[in-house]
Amino acid sequence: MQNYNAPDSQGFFGRHGGLYVPETLIPALEGLKQAYTQAKQDPEFWAAFEHDLKHYVGRPSPVCHAGRLSEHLGGAQIWLKREDLNHTGAHKVNNTIGQALLAKRMGKKRMIAETGAGQHGVASATVAARFGMTCDVYMGADDIQRQMPNVFRMKLLGANVVGVESGSRTLKDAMNEAMREWVARVDDTFYIIGTAAGPAPYPEMVRDFQCVIGNEAKKQMQEAVGRQPDVAVACVGGGSNAIGLFHPYITEENVRLVGVEAGGRGMDTPEHAAPITSGAPIGVLHGFRSYLMQDEDGQILGTHSVSAGLDYPGIGPEHSYLHDIGRVEYTVASDEAALNAFDLLCRFEGIIPALESSHALAWAVENAPKMAKDQVILVNLSGRGDKDINTVAALKGIEL
Ligand SMILES: *Cc1c(COP(=O)(O)O)cnc(C)c1O
């Protein structure tokens, strides 16, 4: 893995990725690609990005030894990359800061975003307020009902939340609607996508912004333990926190990389959100080609995960490619395993993790005992769990 260099000039990661959109969107995506290509070569752009990550987001996020949890499990040492400590409580803001700076550079005054659980909507509303732009967030009508606190947060931040009544009234329909709106108002509107998916150049761009996670971790692990971890593990929804951690490690052959999909109620049921682990075929959704949960007629299958942020039938194209070339191992953690890991981190470390991140932790909980005490597992703690306490309480049969 000496010279990893994806995507190609057409936005393909092997046979995944690309640009599958209506004709009317091609000029917008070409404009975006051009603007990003220029920004990428401009040191001032990166200086502004780093400035905001430091002074607004609070980076670098630390790495932290989960000593009591490691001792309890009796094997490898577990370290946490603390993305939960970022402003707004997750890794998503790394990406929205980057895209907002690009929008500003392109002279756009209006932002649109899609959101499922509302985490990306909140991160988008946050940067829209900071950069003085208007923000319309497209959200499925059912999700609006389920995620009222985040809907209110977005409104407090000055965003306009647009309910989407079509389809299953969830994330996939919100993304369709946001793309439709972008076609209608390309001139003044920037579409800010929340994960390492969508048509080119989004997967590459979101990855580049999230690589701050892995770049920091490499430096910090060297300082803290004098070497890189034996395993780096992250949960995978669309794949942005995982690719942000993995990408800087791709050429470090001694570091095993593990992506954890949502196993939901079990891989022997249809109620999961694990396109790679379930062996889903390749398909096209939301402007890109990748492994995609679909039936024989190409209809998108319903998904389930206890964590809203992992509840997506597709996966970012770079992950599908990394699976194809065998550089990253993909596996699942079930709802139950994630909830168990959630409890353990609360009790042994005093950290309430996001349910998404609990999937990555579940891998460590299962595998640390099988490893030697001087081995190191680095878990990307993608977000904090305050947003999930109602879900966890309901599952435990507790009324808040
Ligand atoms: C949204 C979210 C995820 C899943 O998104 P990715 O793009 O796969 O990273 C994971 N963790 C948290 C805390 C999230 O908010």
Side-chain angles (χ1 to χ4, degrees):
M1 206 70 36
Q2 288 303 305
N3 40 18
Y4 181 88
N5 190 18
D8 67 17
S9 61
Q10 303 302 305
F12 279 96
F13 300 83
R15 52 194 177 144
H16 308 279
L19 199 148
Y20 296 85
V21 294
E23 206 66 37
T24 41
L25 263 183
I26 299 284
L29 285 159
E30 276 175 355
L32 179 65
K33 187 177 170 186
Q34 202 175 9
Y36 182 58
T37 305
Q38 284 172 4
K40 207 171 168 170
Q41 292 157 354
D42 181 357
E44 273 181 39
F45 178 78
W46 293 107
F49 181 60
E50 278 160 27
H51 179 277
D52 266 29
L53 289 186
K54 179 173 177 189
H55 297 281
Y56 186 69
V57 175
R59 303 200 72 92
S61 67
V63 291
C64 158
H65 183 209
R68 288 194 68 234
L69 178 62
S70 305
E71 196 173 316
H72 170 73
L73 295 168
Q77 301 307 308
I78 297 172
W79 284 72
L80 308 170
K81 177 63 173 158
R82 300 288 309 276
E83 292 299 298
D84 61 311
L85 293 177
N86 295 338
H87 177 48
T88 70
H91 68 291
K92 287 206 171 68
V93 71
N94 304 327
N95 168 48
T96 56
I97 292 274
Q99 290 198 46
L101 282 167
L102 190 61
K104 189 173 143 193
R105 199 179 156 99
M106 293 173 77
K108 308 283 184 184
K109 294 277 189 297
R110 175 176 182 249
M111 245 172 214
I112 57 171
E114 84 293 335
T115 199
Q119 294 305 106
H120 174 57
V122 169
S124 298
T126 298
V127 297
R130 176 155 174 85
F131 289 83
M133 297 176 194
T134 66
C135 183
D136 288 352
V137 180
Y138 289 80
M139 189 166 184
D142 284 3
D143 287 339
I144 289 181
Q145 288 305 317
R146 287 189 291 197
Q147 309 288 341
M148 266 305 166
N150 271 343
V151 172
F152 188 56
R153 267 184 203 116
M154 288 183 251
K155 288 182 178 166
L156 286 173
L157 294 162
N160 176 34
V161 180
V162 185
V164 176
E165 299 282 353
S166 57
S168 58
R169 299 153 44 110
T170 57
L171 173 62
K172 130 179 109 55
D173 315 290
M175 198 151 174
N176 288 336
E177 198 57 37
M179 284 195 164
R180 220 167 283 145
E181 174 63 15
W182 198 30
V183 173
R185 283 186 61 176
V186 161
D187 287 348
D188 69 341
T189 300
F190 189 97
Y191 178 24
I192 180 163
I193 291 185
T195 188
Y202 283 100
E204 176 189 8
M205 191 165 76
V206 175
R207 173 197 76 196
D208 291 347
F209 295 139
Q210 292 293 0
C211 273
V212 65
I213 301 172
N215 286 329
E216 283 177 6
K218 274 175 97 168
K219 238 185 266 163
Q220 292 167 323
M221 292 308 288
Q222 191 63 44
E223 278 168 23
V225 295
R227 65 180 180 94
Q228 296 306 326
D230 297 282
V231 192
V233 49
C235 66
V236 186
S240 69
N241 86 90
I243 202 68
L245 178 67
F246 294 166
H247 195 264
Y249 278 116
I250 287 176
T251 52
E252 302 256 339
E253 310 237 2
N254 294 333
V255 181
R256 193 177 154 199
L257 303 175
V258 178
V260 184
E261 299 183 310
R265 299 199 171 97
M267 298 309 290
D268 51 352
T269 78
E271 294 179 86
H272 59 75
I276 290 185
T277 310
S278 68
I282 289 174
V284 170
L285 180 70
H286 297 143
F288 70 103
R289 193 169 190 263
S290 193
Y291 293 115
L292 177 64
M293 290 171 56
Q294 56 193 305
D295 67 15
E296 274 140 37
D297 303 322
Q299 295 295 316
I300 309 303
L301 292 174
T303 52
H304 161 81
S305 171
V306 69
S307 65
L310 302 186
D311 204 348
Y312 183 66
I315 182 166
E318 192 160 10
H319 288 289
S320 293
Y321 176 57
L322 289 166
H323 168 69
D324 286 355
I325 64 174
R327 178 61 186 96
V328 179
E329 298 161 50
Y330 293 88
T331 181
V332 286
S334 66
D335 288 354
E336 197 185 340
L339 284 162
N340 177 48
F342 174 97
D343 278 339
L344 288 172
L345 201 70
C346 291
R347 298 297 178 88
F348 282 95
E349 298 296 337
I351 298 170
I352 302 177
L355 284 174
E356 291 83 3
S357 325
S358 300
H359 286 71
L361 271 172
W363 189 92
V365 168
E366 189 188 333
N367 290 280
K370 302 175 199 161
M371 293 168 65
K373 285 195 172 157
D374 62 352
Q375 289 191 292
V376 175
I377 301 173
L378 176 63
V379 175
N380 200 15
L381 202 69
S382 55
R384 65 177 182 231
D386 307 48
K387 68 182 178 61
D388 295 318
I389 58 172
N390 290 307
T391 306
V392 173
L395 288 165
K396 291 178 188 281
I398 297 164
E399 216 173 301
L400 293 188

